[in-house]
Amino acid sequence: MAATAPKRQAIDTRESDLAARAAWLHFVGGLTQSEVAKRLDVPNTRAHRYIARAQAEGLVRIFVDVSSSDCVAMETRLMERFGLSFCRVAMDVPEAGALPLRSLSVAGGDYLMSMITGQAHKIIGIGHGRTIAAAVDAMGRVAANGISFVSMLGGLTRSYAANPYDVIHRLARVSGAESYMLPAPMFVDSARDKQVLIGQSGIAATMSLIGEASLAIVGIGALDAADTNPNAIGGEVTLAGLRAAGAKAEILGQFLDRDGALLNTEFDDRVMAPPLDALRGRDIVAIAGGAGKADAILASLKSGLLTGLIIDEATARTLVGEDGHAVAAE
């Protein structure tokens, strides 16, 4: 048995080397997958798997050195209108789903990498949502020397794809950063349960680290979209009741009305996350988009909480009034 582990490690190393070589031949050398298969003397299906593996492991990053003057103009207008210090409008690409995950993931992944390499923030808080998970997936490998990531809220959700634990794991894997979870549900059963959990040493240490984060990267949940998934905001949340109370947006398990005012709800004393008002004065960047989230993004911008926004081109046009039926900021 002693010789088995080194042998398996050697096989894994060889497979990783072949995946990297296949990706290099395909993306840099311009070879088709069939040509890659011939060059490596492997079946076409294996060449395809090697290339897919290289992409999944973050060995491949594609840069397009182009900027759209329309997108830059919208970034400027959004920054001026809502007092943002940063805005990135991702150019649209054809997508089948309601969420523009492809464009948002690339822009979000690029932003995350720039925050890591820029070293402006030593502790970065991470929220939840499919867009953030996709942004982490789009990142290439980068050394996060001296930077720590911490989950900003409890992560025991039913939706694994939006699970903050999973996002933290992915960040740690691609960056090597120290990464910390908040080992608790998104919502606990009672305010008393929350106080008990916060008093536990592991959770208390994580909450303290959240308090030191100078940058928070968050998602925005939409309460009035027809396709809103309750699992994405805790599973047990009664959407009908929140909608009746005027909730339009959700950030870190807390809810805003159409004017950006923070609503008092029954969940406030049960959410395992820092109060949104406690985050004012820090950099808070949201990654969000899609037609169904336009009102939620607008409410979040009106709140004054956000200092930065990464958004897709079509939704940005709605917010700046270039599609003929935009919601007004005033």
Side-chain angles (χ1 to χ4, degrees), residues 234-305:
E236 64 177 287
V237 173
T238 304
L239 293 178
L242 288 166
R243 289 167 178 160
K248 287 289 183 182
E250 172 266 331
I251 299 177
L252 296 181
Q254 295 154 79
F255 304 94
L256 306 170
D257 68 14
R258 62 176 297 171
D259 297 317
L262 191 61
L263 290 172
N264 293 319
T265 75
E266 61 180 295
F267 304 102
D268 295 343
D269 292 332
R270 296 165 45 202
V271 63
M272 294 299 294
L276 290 182
D277 280 339
L279 300 180
R280 293 187 186 273
R282 311 187 208 183
D283 286 337
I284 306 177
V285 175
I287 307 177
K293 289 196 175 185
D295 286 348
I297 295 170
L298 181 65
S300 301
L301 288 168
K302 287 182 178 181
S303 74
L305 285 164

Short mmCIF file of all heavy atoms in Angstrom, two decimals, residues 234-305:
data_model
loop_
_atom_site.label_atom_id
_atom_site.label_comp_id
_atom_site.label_asym_id
_atom_site.label_seq_id
_atom_site.Cartn_x
_atom_site.Cartn_y
_atom_site.Cartn_z
N GLY A 234 -32.70 32.14 2.08
CA GLY A 234 -32.89 31.47 3.35
C GLY A 234 -33.91 30.37 3.38
O GLY A 234 -34.03 29.68 4.38
N GLY A 235 -34.67 30.18 2.32
CA GLY A 235 -35.59 29.06 2.25
C GLY A 235 -36.90 29.28 2.98
O GLY A 235 -37.96 29.14 2.42
N GLU A 236 -36.84 29.67 4.26
CA GLU A 236 -38.04 29.77 5.06
C GLU A 236 -38.71 31.14 4.94
O GLU A 236 -39.81 31.35 5.44
CB GLU A 236 -37.69 29.52 6.53
CG GLU A 236 -36.75 30.59 7.09
CD GLU A 236 -36.45 30.38 8.57
OE1 GLU A 236 -37.35 30.64 9.37
OE2 GLU A 236 -35.34 29.97 8.88
N VAL A 237 -38.04 32.08 4.31
CA VAL A 237 -38.58 33.43 4.23
C VAL A 237 -39.91 33.43 3.48
O VAL A 237 -40.04 32.85 2.40
CB VAL A 237 -37.59 34.37 3.51
CG1 VAL A 237 -38.22 35.73 3.27
CG2 VAL A 237 -36.32 34.52 4.34
N THR A 238 -40.90 34.08 4.05
CA THR A 238 -42.21 34.18 3.42
C THR A 238 -42.21 35.36 2.47
O THR A 238 -42.32 36.51 2.89
CB THR A 238 -43.32 34.35 4.48
OG1 THR A 238 -43.24 33.28 5.42
CG2 THR A 238 -44.68 34.34 3.83
N LEU A 239 -42.08 35.07 1.18
CA LEU A 239 -41.97 36.15 0.21
C LEU A 239 -43.23 37.00 0.16
O LEU A 239 -43.16 38.22 0.04
CB LEU A 239 -41.68 35.56 -1.17
CG LEU A 239 -40.31 34.89 -1.34
CD1 LEU A 239 -40.19 34.30 -2.73
CD2 LEU A 239 -39.19 35.88 -1.08
N ALA A 240 -44.39 36.36 0.27
CA ALA A 240 -45.65 37.11 0.18
C ALA A 240 -45.73 38.18 1.27
O ALA A 240 -46.13 39.32 1.02
CB ALA A 240 -46.83 36.15 0.27
N GLY A 241 -45.35 37.81 2.49
CA GLY A 241 -45.40 38.78 3.59
C GLY A 241 -44.42 39.92 3.40
O GLY A 241 -44.74 41.08 3.69
N LEU A 242 -43.24 39.61 2.90
CA LEU A 242 -42.24 40.65 2.68
C LEU A 242 -42.67 41.58 1.53
O LEU A 242 -42.50 42.80 1.61
CB LEU A 242 -40.89 40.02 2.36
CG LEU A 242 -40.18 39.36 3.54
CD1 LEU A 242 -39.04 38.48 3.06
CD2 LEU A 242 -39.66 40.42 4.51
N ARG A 243 -43.25 41.00 0.50
CA ARG A 243 -43.74 41.83 -0.60
C ARG A 243 -44.85 42.75 -0.13
O ARG A 243 -44.90 43.93 -0.51
CB ARG A 243 -44.24 40.94 -1.74
CG ARG A 243 -43.14 40.21 -2.50
CD ARG A 243 -43.72 39.12 -3.37
NE ARG A 243 -42.69 38.43 -4.16
CZ ARG A 243 -42.84 37.24 -4.70
NH1 ARG A 243 -43.99 36.58 -4.54
NH2 ARG A 243 -41.87 36.69 -5.40
N ALA A 244 -45.73 42.21 0.72
CA ALA A 244 -46.83 43.04 1.24
C ALA A 244 -46.30 44.19 2.09
O ALA A 244 -46.92 45.26 2.16
CB ALA A 244 -47.78 42.16 2.07
N ALA A 245 -45.15 43.97 2.74
CA ALA A 245 -44.54 45.02 3.57
C ALA A 245 -43.76 46.01 2.73
O ALA A 245 -43.24 47.00 3.28
CB ALA A 245 -43.63 44.38 4.61
N GLY A 246 -43.68 45.76 1.43
CA GLY A 246 -43.00 46.70 0.54
C GLY A 246 -41.56 46.37 0.24
O GLY A 246 -40.84 47.20 -0.32
N ALA A 247 -41.11 45.17 0.57
CA ALA A 247 -39.72 44.79 0.32
C ALA A 247 -39.46 44.66 -1.18
O ALA A 247 -40.23 44.04 -1.90
CB ALA A 247 -39.39 43.49 1.02
N LYS A 248 -38.38 45.26 -1.63
CA LYS A 248 -37.98 45.20 -3.03
C LYS A 248 -36.64 44.50 -3.23
O LYS A 248 -36.39 43.94 -4.29
CB LYS A 248 -37.89 46.62 -3.63
CG LYS A 248 -39.21 47.30 -3.86
CD LYS A 248 -39.94 46.65 -5.03
CE LYS A 248 -41.25 47.37 -5.34
NZ LYS A 248 -41.98 46.71 -6.45
N ALA A 249 -35.77 44.58 -2.21
CA ALA A 249 -34.42 44.06 -2.36
C ALA A 249 -33.96 43.39 -1.08
O ALA A 249 -34.42 43.74 0.01
CB ALA A 249 -33.46 45.18 -2.75
N GLU A 250 -33.06 42.44 -1.25
CA GLU A 250 -32.46 41.75 -0.11
C GLU A 250 -30.95 41.79 -0.24
O GLU A 250 -30.39 41.50 -1.31
CB GLU A 250 -32.93 40.30 -0.06
CG GLU A 250 -32.22 39.43 0.98
CD GLU A 250 -31.02 38.69 0.40
OE1 GLU A 250 -31.03 38.37 -0.80
OE2 GLU A 250 -30.08 38.44 1.18
N ILE A 251 -30.27 42.20 0.83
CA ILE A 251 -28.82 42.17 0.91
C ILE A 251 -28.45 41.57 2.25
O ILE A 251 -28.89 42.06 3.30
CB ILE A 251 -28.20 43.58 0.78
CG1 ILE A 251 -28.54 44.21 -0.57
CG2 ILE A 251 -26.68 43.51 0.95
CD1 ILE A 251 -28.02 45.64 -0.74
N LEU A 252 -27.67 40.51 2.23
CA LEU A 252 -27.23 39.82 3.45
C LEU A 252 -28.41 39.49 4.37
O LEU A 252 -28.35 39.67 5.58
CB LEU A 252 -26.20 40.68 4.20
CG LEU A 252 -24.87 40.93 3.47
CD1 LEU A 252 -23.93 41.77 4.33
CD2 LEU A 252 -24.21 39.62 3.06
N GLY A 253 -29.52 39.02 3.78
CA GLY A 253 -30.66 38.59 4.57
C GLY A 253 -31.45 39.71 5.20
O GLY A 253 -32.27 39.46 6.09
N GLN A 254 -31.26 40.92 4.74
CA GLN A 254 -32.00 42.09 5.24
C GLN A 254 -32.66 42.78 4.06
O GLN A 254 -32.20 42.65 2.93
CB GLN A 254 -31.05 43.01 6.01
CG GLN A 254 -30.51 42.33 7.28
CD GLN A 254 -29.18 42.87 7.73
OE1 GLN A 254 -29.11 43.93 8.34
NE2 GLN A 254 -28.10 42.16 7.42
N PHE A 255 -33.72 43.52 4.32
CA PHE A 255 -34.62 43.90 3.25
C PHE A 255 -34.81 45.42 3.15
O PHE A 255 -34.91 46.12 4.16
CB PHE A 255 -35.97 43.21 3.46
CG PHE A 255 -35.82 41.71 3.57
CD1 PHE A 255 -35.70 41.09 4.81
CD2 PHE A 255 -35.73 40.93 2.43
CE1 PHE A 255 -35.53 39.72 4.91
CE2 PHE A 255 -35.56 39.56 2.51
CZ PHE A 255 -35.46 38.95 3.75
N LEU A 256 -34.88 45.89 1.89
CA LEU A 256 -35.02 47.31 1.57
C LEU A 256 -36.32 47.54 0.82
O LEU A 256 -36.74 46.70 0.02
CB LEU A 256 -33.86 47.78 0.71
CG LEU A 256 -32.43 47.51 1.21
CD1 LEU A 256 -31.42 47.82 0.12
CD2 LEU A 256 -32.15 48.33 2.46
N ASP A 257 -36.93 48.72 1.04
CA ASP A 257 -38.11 49.07 0.25
C ASP A 257 -37.69 49.77 -1.04
O ASP A 257 -36.49 49.93 -1.31
CB ASP A 257 -39.10 49.90 1.07
CG ASP A 257 -38.59 51.30 1.42
OD1 ASP A 257 -37.58 51.76 0.82
OD2 ASP A 257 -39.19 51.95 2.30
N ARG A 258 -38.64 50.20 -1.82
CA ARG A 258 -38.34 50.77 -3.14
C ARG A 258 -37.50 52.03 -3.06
O ARG A 258 -36.80 52.39 -4.01
CB ARG A 258 -39.64 51.06 -3.89
CG ARG A 258 -40.55 52.08 -3.22
CD ARG A 258 -41.75 52.39 -4.08
NE ARG A 258 -41.33 52.99 -5.33
CZ ARG A 258 -42.15 53.22 -6.35
NH1 ARG A 258 -43.41 52.85 -6.28
NH2 ARG A 258 -41.71 53.78 -7.46
N ASP A 259 -37.56 52.74 -1.93
CA ASP A 259 -36.77 53.96 -1.75
C ASP A 259 -35.41 53.69 -1.12
O ASP A 259 -34.66 54.63 -0.83
CB ASP A 259 -37.54 54.97 -0.89
CG ASP A 259 -38.84 55.41 -1.56
OD1 ASP A 259 -38.81 55.66 -2.78
OD2 ASP A 259 -39.88 55.48 -0.87
N GLY A 260 -35.11 52.43 -0.87
CA GLY A 260 -33.82 52.10 -0.29
C GLY A 260 -33.80 52.13 1.23
O GLY A 260 -32.73 51.93 1.83
N ALA A 261 -34.95 52.35 1.85
CA ALA A 261 -35.00 52.37 3.31
C ALA A 261 -34.97 50.94 3.85
O ALA A 261 -35.61 50.05 3.29
CB ALA A 261 -36.25 53.09 3.79
N LEU A 262 -34.25 50.74 4.93
CA LEU A 262 -34.16 49.42 5.54
C LEU A 262 -35.45 49.11 6.28
O LEU A 262 -35.91 49.87 7.13
CB LEU A 262 -32.97 49.39 6.51
CG LEU A 262 -32.56 48.03 7.06
CD1 LEU A 262 -32.12 47.10 5.93
CD2 LEU A 262 -31.42 48.20 8.06
N LEU A 263 -36.07 47.99 5.94
CA LEU A 263 -37.32 47.58 6.57
C LEU A 263 -37.05 46.84 7.87
O LEU A 263 -36.08 46.10 8.00
CB LEU A 263 -38.10 46.65 5.64
CG LEU A 263 -38.71 47.27 4.37
CD1 LEU A 263 -39.26 46.17 3.49
CD2 LEU A 263 -39.79 48.27 4.74
N ASN A 264 -37.92 47.04 8.84
CA ASN A 264 -37.88 46.25 10.06
C ASN A 264 -38.75 45.01 9.83
O ASN A 264 -39.95 45.13 9.58
CB ASN A 264 -38.42 47.04 11.25
CG ASN A 264 -37.52 48.20 11.60
OD1 ASN A 264 -36.30 48.07 11.58
ND2 ASN A 264 -38.11 49.36 11.91
N THR A 265 -38.15 43.83 9.89
CA THR A 265 -38.89 42.61 9.65
C THR A 265 -38.66 41.62 10.79
O THR A 265 -37.76 41.80 11.61
CB THR A 265 -38.46 41.93 8.33
OG1 THR A 265 -37.19 41.29 8.51
CG2 THR A 265 -38.37 42.95 7.20
N GLU A 266 -39.45 40.57 10.79
CA GLU A 266 -39.32 39.53 11.82
C GLU A 266 -38.01 38.77 11.72
O GLU A 266 -37.61 38.05 12.64
CB GLU A 266 -40.48 38.54 11.70
CG GLU A 266 -40.51 37.82 10.35
CD GLU A 266 -41.65 36.84 10.23
OE1 GLU A 266 -41.64 35.85 10.99
OE2 GLU A 266 -42.53 37.07 9.37
N PHE A 267 -37.30 38.93 10.62
CA PHE A 267 -36.06 38.18 10.40
C PHE A 267 -34.82 38.91 10.90
O PHE A 267 -33.75 38.32 10.97
CB PHE A 267 -35.91 37.86 8.91
CG PHE A 267 -37.08 37.12 8.34
CD1 PHE A 267 -38.02 37.78 7.58
CD2 PHE A 267 -37.26 35.77 8.59
CE1 PHE A 267 -39.11 37.11 7.05
CE2 PHE A 267 -38.34 35.09 8.08
CZ PHE A 267 -39.27 35.75 7.31
N ASP A 268 -34.98 40.20 11.23
CA ASP A 268 -33.80 41.00 11.58
C ASP A 268 -33.04 40.44 12.78
O ASP A 268 -31.80 40.46 12.79
CB ASP A 268 -34.20 42.45 11.87
CG ASP A 268 -34.75 43.15 10.63
OD1 ASP A 268 -34.52 42.63 9.52
OD2 ASP A 268 -35.41 44.19 10.78
N ASP A 269 -33.77 39.97 13.78
CA ASP A 269 -33.12 39.46 14.99
C ASP A 269 -32.67 38.01 14.85
O ASP A 269 -32.12 37.44 15.79
CB ASP A 269 -34.09 39.56 16.18
CG ASP A 269 -34.36 41.00 16.57
OD1 ASP A 269 -33.49 41.85 16.32
OD2 ASP A 269 -35.46 41.26 17.10
N ARG A 270 -32.90 37.43 13.66
CA ARG A 270 -32.56 36.02 13.47
C ARG A 270 -31.52 35.80 12.37
O ARG A 270 -31.03 34.69 12.22
CB ARG A 270 -33.83 35.24 13.12
CG ARG A 270 -34.88 35.22 14.23
CD ARG A 270 -36.24 34.76 13.70
NE ARG A 270 -36.10 33.59 12.84
CZ ARG A 270 -37.02 33.24 11.94
NH1 ARG A 270 -38.11 33.99 11.75
NH2 ARG A 270 -36.83 32.17 11.20
N VAL A 271 -31.21 36.83 11.60
CA VAL A 271 -30.27 36.66 10.51
C VAL A 271 -28.84 36.64 11.05
O VAL A 271 -28.45 37.47 11.87
CB VAL A 271 -30.44 37.77 9.45
CG1 VAL A 271 -30.12 39.16 10.01
CG2 VAL A 271 -29.59 37.47 8.22
N MET A 272 -28.08 35.68 10.59
CA MET A 272 -26.69 35.56 11.02
C MET A 272 -25.80 36.34 10.05
O MET A 272 -25.13 35.80 9.17
CB MET A 272 -26.29 34.08 11.08
CG MET A 272 -27.01 33.29 12.15
SD MET A 272 -26.70 33.91 13.83
CE MET A 272 -24.96 33.54 14.01
N ALA A 273 -25.84 37.64 10.22
CA ALA A 273 -25.06 38.55 9.38
C ALA A 273 -24.95 39.88 10.12
O ALA A 273 -25.78 40.18 10.99
CB ALA A 273 -25.75 38.75 8.03
N PRO A 274 -23.97 40.70 9.79
CA PRO A 274 -23.88 42.02 10.43
C PRO A 274 -25.01 42.93 9.97
O PRO A 274 -25.46 42.81 8.81
CB PRO A 274 -22.52 42.54 9.95
CG PRO A 274 -22.30 41.85 8.64
CD PRO A 274 -22.89 40.48 8.80
N PRO A 275 -25.50 43.83 10.81
CA PRO A 275 -26.52 44.79 10.36
C PRO A 275 -25.98 45.62 9.20
O PRO A 275 -24.81 46.03 9.20
CB PRO A 275 -26.75 45.65 11.60
CG PRO A 275 -26.26 44.84 12.75
CD PRO A 275 -25.13 44.02 12.22
N LEU A 276 -26.82 45.87 8.22
CA LEU A 276 -26.36 46.62 7.05
C LEU A 276 -25.85 48.00 7.43
O LEU A 276 -24.86 48.48 6.87
CB LEU A 276 -27.50 46.73 6.02
CG LEU A 276 -27.88 45.45 5.30
CD1 LEU A 276 -28.99 45.73 4.28
CD2 LEU A 276 -26.69 44.81 4.62
N ASP A 277 -26.52 48.65 8.37
CA ASP A 277 -26.08 50.00 8.76
C ASP A 277 -24.68 49.98 9.36
O ASP A 277 -23.96 50.99 9.30
CB ASP A 277 -27.07 50.62 9.75
CG ASP A 277 -28.30 51.20 9.05
OD1 ASP A 277 -28.21 51.48 7.84
OD2 ASP A 277 -29.35 51.35 9.71
N ALA A 278 -24.28 48.84 9.92
CA ALA A 278 -22.94 48.75 10.50
C ALA A 278 -21.86 48.69 9.43
O ALA A 278 -20.68 48.89 9.73
CB ALA A 278 -22.85 47.50 11.39
N LEU A 279 -22.27 48.47 8.19
CA LEU A 279 -21.30 48.38 7.10
C LEU A 279 -21.04 49.73 6.43
O LEU A 279 -20.14 49.84 5.59
CB LEU A 279 -21.78 47.39 6.04
CG LEU A 279 -22.00 45.95 6.51
CD1 LEU A 279 -22.49 45.09 5.35
CD2 LEU A 279 -20.72 45.37 7.09
N ARG A 280 -21.84 50.74 6.78
CA ARG A 280 -21.64 52.06 6.17
C ARG A 280 -20.25 52.58 6.51
O ARG A 280 -19.75 52.40 7.61
CB ARG A 280 -22.71 53.03 6.65
CG ARG A 280 -24.11 52.68 6.16
CD ARG A 280 -25.12 53.75 6.52
NE ARG A 280 -26.48 53.35 6.16
CZ ARG A 280 -27.03 53.53 4.97
NH1 ARG A 280 -26.32 54.11 4.01
NH2 ARG A 280 -28.27 53.14 4.72
N GLY A 281 -19.64 53.21 5.53
CA GLY A 281 -18.29 53.71 5.71
C GLY A 281 -17.24 52.76 5.16
O GLY A 281 -16.07 53.12 5.04
N ARG A 282 -17.65 51.54 4.80
CA ARG A 282 -16.73 50.61 4.16
C ARG A 282 -17.04 50.56 2.67
O ARG A 282 -18.05 51.08 2.20
CB ARG A 282 -16.90 49.21 4.75
CG ARG A 282 -16.88 49.14 6.25
CD ARG A 282 -16.88 47.70 6.70
NE ARG A 282 -17.49 47.53 8.01
CZ ARG A 282 -17.56 46.39 8.66
NH1 ARG A 282 -17.06 45.28 8.10
NH2 ARG A 282 -18.15 46.30 9.85
N ASP A 283 -16.17 49.91 1.92
CA ASP A 283 -16.46 49.67 0.51
C ASP A 283 -17.41 48.48 0.40
O ASP A 283 -17.11 47.39 0.90
CB ASP A 283 -15.17 49.37 -0.26
CG ASP A 283 -14.31 50.60 -0.49
OD1 ASP A 283 -14.88 51.71 -0.47
OD2 ASP A 283 -13.10 50.46 -0.68
N ILE A 284 -18.56 48.70 -0.23
CA ILE A 284 -19.55 47.64 -0.45
C ILE A 284 -19.84 47.58 -1.94
O ILE A 284 -20.42 48.52 -2.50
CB ILE A 284 -20.84 47.89 0.34
CG1 ILE A 284 -20.55 48.11 1.83
CG2 ILE A 284 -21.80 46.72 0.17
CD1 ILE A 284 -21.78 48.44 2.65
N VAL A 285 -19.44 46.50 -2.57
CA VAL A 285 -19.60 46.36 -4.01
C VAL A 285 -20.58 45.22 -4.28
O VAL A 285 -20.40 44.10 -3.78
CB VAL A 285 -18.24 46.06 -4.68
CG1 VAL A 285 -18.43 45.79 -6.18
CG2 VAL A 285 -17.28 47.23 -4.47
N ALA A 286 -21.61 45.51 -5.06
CA ALA A 286 -22.60 44.50 -5.42
C ALA A 286 -22.33 43.99 -6.83
O ALA A 286 -21.95 44.76 -7.72
CB ALA A 286 -24.01 45.08 -5.34
N ILE A 287 -22.51 42.69 -7.01
CA ILE A 287 -22.48 42.08 -8.34
C ILE A 287 -23.90 41.59 -8.62
O ILE A 287 -24.39 40.68 -7.95
CB ILE A 287 -21.50 40.89 -8.41
CG1 ILE A 287 -20.11 41.30 -7.93
CG2 ILE A 287 -21.42 40.36 -9.84
CD1 ILE A 287 -19.11 40.16 -7.90
N ALA A 288 -24.59 42.22 -9.56
CA ALA A 288 -26.00 41.89 -9.78
C ALA A 288 -26.42 42.33 -11.17
O ALA A 288 -25.86 43.27 -11.74
CB ALA A 288 -26.87 42.57 -8.72
N GLY A 289 -27.45 41.65 -11.70
CA GLY A 289 -27.97 42.04 -13.00
C GLY A 289 -29.17 41.19 -13.37
O GLY A 289 -29.60 40.31 -12.63
N GLY A 290 -29.72 41.48 -14.54
CA GLY A 290 -30.90 40.78 -15.04
C GLY A 290 -32.12 41.66 -14.96
O GLY A 290 -32.29 42.43 -14.00
N ALA A 291 -32.99 41.52 -15.94
CA ALA A 291 -34.19 42.37 -16.00
C ALA A 291 -35.05 42.24 -14.76
O ALA A 291 -35.63 43.22 -14.28
CB ALA A 291 -35.01 42.01 -17.24
N GLY A 292 -35.14 41.03 -14.20
CA GLY A 292 -35.97 40.81 -13.02
C GLY A 292 -35.42 41.45 -11.77
O GLY A 292 -36.12 41.51 -10.75
N LYS A 293 -34.19 41.93 -11.81
CA LYS A 293 -33.58 42.53 -10.63
C LYS A 293 -33.40 44.04 -10.74
O LYS A 293 -32.81 44.66 -9.86
CB LYS A 293 -32.22 41.89 -10.34
CG LYS A 293 -32.33 40.45 -9.83
CD LYS A 293 -31.02 39.99 -9.20
CE LYS A 293 -31.19 38.61 -8.58
NZ LYS A 293 -29.97 38.17 -7.87
N ALA A 294 -33.90 44.64 -11.80
CA ALA A 294 -33.70 46.07 -12.00
C ALA A 294 -34.23 46.90 -10.83
O ALA A 294 -33.55 47.80 -10.32
CB ALA A 294 -34.36 46.52 -13.31
N ASP A 295 -35.45 46.60 -10.38
CA ASP A 295 -36.03 47.36 -9.26
C ASP A 295 -35.25 47.12 -7.97
O ASP A 295 -35.05 48.04 -7.17
CB ASP A 295 -37.49 46.96 -9.05
CG ASP A 295 -38.41 47.52 -10.12
OD1 ASP A 295 -37.96 48.40 -10.89
OD2 ASP A 295 -39.57 47.07 -10.20
N ALA A 296 -34.80 45.89 -7.76
CA ALA A 296 -34.04 45.57 -6.56
C ALA A 296 -32.70 46.29 -6.56
O ALA A 296 -32.24 46.81 -5.52
CB ALA A 296 -33.84 44.07 -6.44
N ILE A 297 -32.04 46.32 -7.71
CA ILE A 297 -30.76 47.01 -7.81
C ILE A 297 -30.95 48.51 -7.58
O ILE A 297 -30.16 49.15 -6.89
CB ILE A 297 -30.10 46.74 -9.17
CG1 ILE A 297 -29.77 45.25 -9.30
CG2 ILE A 297 -28.84 47.58 -9.36
CD1 ILE A 297 -29.33 44.83 -10.70
N LEU A 298 -32.02 49.06 -8.16
CA LEU A 298 -32.30 50.49 -7.97
C LEU A 298 -32.53 50.80 -6.50
O LEU A 298 -32.01 51.78 -5.97
CB LEU A 298 -33.53 50.89 -8.79
CG LEU A 298 -33.91 52.37 -8.70
CD1 LEU A 298 -32.83 53.24 -9.30
CD2 LEU A 298 -35.25 52.63 -9.38
N ALA A 299 -33.32 49.97 -5.81
CA ALA A 299 -33.57 50.19 -4.38
C ALA A 299 -32.26 50.13 -3.61
O ALA A 299 -32.03 50.95 -2.69
CB ALA A 299 -34.55 49.14 -3.86
N SER A 300 -31.40 49.21 -3.96
CA SER A 300 -30.11 49.08 -3.27
C SER A 300 -29.23 50.29 -3.51
O SER A 300 -28.54 50.77 -2.60
CB SER A 300 -29.39 47.80 -3.74
OG SER A 300 -30.18 46.66 -3.49
N LEU A 301 -29.26 50.81 -4.73
CA LEU A 301 -28.49 52.02 -5.03
C LEU A 301 -29.04 53.22 -4.27
O LEU A 301 -28.28 54.05 -3.76
CB LEU A 301 -28.53 52.29 -6.54
CG LEU A 301 -27.72 51.33 -7.41
CD1 LEU A 301 -28.07 51.52 -8.89
CD2 LEU A 301 -26.22 51.56 -7.20
N LYS A 302 -30.36 53.32 -4.16
CA LYS A 302 -30.97 54.43 -3.43
C LYS A 302 -30.64 54.40 -1.94
O LYS A 302 -30.66 55.44 -1.26
CB LYS A 302 -32.49 54.40 -3.59
CG LYS A 302 -33.00 54.81 -4.96
CD LYS A 302 -34.53 54.78 -4.96
CE LYS A 302 -35.11 55.22 -6.27
NZ LYS A 302 -36.59 55.21 -6.26
N SER A 303 -30.33 53.21 -1.42
CA SER A 303 -30.05 53.09 0.02
C SER A 303 -28.79 53.83 0.43
O SER A 303 -28.62 54.17 1.60
CB SER A 303 -29.91 51.61 0.39
OG SER A 303 -28.67 51.09 -0.08
N GLY A 304 -27.90 54.07 -0.52
CA GLY A 304 -26.64 54.71 -0.19
C GLY A 304 -25.62 53.76 0.43
O GLY A 304 -24.52 54.18 0.79
N LEU A 305 -25.98 52.47 0.53
CA LEU A 305 -25.06 51.50 1.11
C LEU A 305 -23.92 51.16 0.16
O LEU A 305 -22.78 50.94 0.60
CB LEU A 305 -25.81 50.20 1.45
CG LEU A 305 -26.71 50.21 2.68
CD1 LEU A 305 -27.65 49.02 2.64
CD2 LEU A 305 -25.86 50.17 3.95
#
